[in-house]
Amino acid sequence: RITEAGEESEGPRIWLQGEGFRNVVVYESFKLIPFALLSNAVKYCLEGQITVSLEDRRDYVLLTVTSIGPLIEEQETEKIFGRGIRGKWAKKIEHGRGVGLFLAQLIARAHQTQVSVSSLATGMSRQGVPLARNVFKVEIVV
């Protein structure tokens, strides 16, 4: 990652939080979902840190990946999971192929769950790109 001053940076810090007391058995392919969500967050994080959280719930474990990055407009929240699709503002900051979220959603659906996203504008921008707190979630049924 290159900073505005043209210097190389280490990238965002990643924080893991939460605690779980269950053993969850998933197919090997399911492991690609957290990898894709974290990889996406690292690629698009424009400020602060990335938080990965696990929460034990009654019938599932909730995995969330939160970061500050380009705003995902409301009409894009389902579309960005399509093959080759990226959000309007994401296209302005990173060259990607629009494959990671597509694969994550495809695998999630094969496991009878889905990846969801919410994007809340922060009111700030960087290089003309509006920033938002982006939260990707997936429920791991136990």
Side-chain angles (χ1 to χ4, degrees), residues 9-136:
S9 74
E10 295 177 16
R13 292 183 185 254
I14 300 170
W15 293 94
L16 303 175
Q17 67 183 30
E19 54 184 39
F21 301 99
R22 300 182 199 192
N23 287 325
V24 178
V25 178
V26 295
Y27 290 106
E28 196 68 26
S29 61
F30 194 90
K31 297 174 185 177
L32 290 173
I33 298 170
F35 173 78
L37 297 180
L38 185 56
S39 172
N40 200 63
V42 168
K43 189 186 306 183
Y44 292 105
C45 184
L46 295 175
E47 185 172 301
Q49 66 190 28
I50 297 168
T51 303
V52 179
S53 176
L54 283 173
E55 294 179 47
D56 261 339
R57 300 283 177 98
R58 183 178 188 101
D59 298 324
Y60 60 93
V61 175
L62 179 64
L63 168 70
T64 61
V65 178
T66 305
S67 63
I68 302 294
L71 176 69
I72 301 166
E73 295 184 355
E74 191 172 340
Q75 67 272 19
E76 298 175 325
T77 58
E78 292 298 319
K79 293 178 184 176
I80 61 171
F81 295 103
R83 178 191 276 170
I85 305 296
R86 294 185 307 127
K88 168 182 162 182
W89 299 109
K91 289 178 187 177
K92 295 194 179 285
I93 63 158
E94 179 69 39
H95 299 288
R97 299 182 62 131
V99 176
L101 293 178
F102 168 72
L103 290 175
Q105 190 71 290
L106 187 70
I107 293 167
R109 287 185 177 149
H111 291 85
Q112 285 75 51
T113 191
Q114 69 176 10
V115 179
S116 63
V117 64
S118 63
S119 186
L120 181 62
T122 64
M124 298 173 21
S125 66
R126 178 168 294 169
Q127 299 171 352
V129 174
L131 299 181
R133 180 177 183 264
N134 297 320
V135 181
F136 287 85

